[in-house]
Amino acid sequence: MGVGPLWVSEAKQMSSVPHTPEFPLERDSLRRGLGVVSAAARAALRNMKAVTFWAAIVLPFSYLPLLAGGLTGGEPLLFATLVAVNALAFVAGHGYEPAEA
């Protein structure tokens, strides 16, 4: 008499939802969402660079009235603040190319 296996185990899928490692529709919508966010972030960064670039060009004109009238009272602090803001604008707007706009 031949004795066969008493128990044969088969792996069965417990859920009726097909198993897929990734859901393409969710992944694509996530990519589109991230693309919109990153495009908006790039546009905001470009606009910020443009503003700081042009501020670095225009700010030195504000020095002229201060220097022409002499620095008295609180004007030395104002002058130093304008120079510091201008230096920051130069650094922040450094990579901006007006020709690309």
Side-chain angles (χ1 to χ4, degrees):
M1 271 186 345
V3 177
L6 296 175
W7 179 260
V8 176
S9 138
E10 291 184 27
K12 292 187 177 182
Q13 192 170 350
M14 299 300 286
S15 173
S16 63
V17 177
H19 175 68
T20 56
E22 298 179 35
F23 292 103
L25 294 176
E26 289 178 11
R27 184 183 63 228
D28 291 342
S29 64
L30 181 61
R31 281 187 187 157
R32 277 192 303 265
L34 290 176
V36 169
V37 170
S38 64
R42 282 192 303 269
L45 181 62
R46 179 158 173 70
N47 290 338
M48 184 60 75
K49 276 190 174 187
V51 167
T52 56
F53 173 83
W54 290 109
I57 291 173
V58 172
L59 274 172
F61 292 108
S62 66
Y63 302 166
L64 297 176
L66 289 172
L67 293 175
L71 299 176
T72 59
E75 290 176 348
L77 180 61
L78 175 63
F79 182 74
T81 303
L82 285 172
V83 170
V85 168
N86 197 15
L88 290 173
F90 271 118
V91 170
H94 175 71
Y96 178 71
E97 293 287 332
E100 292 178 7

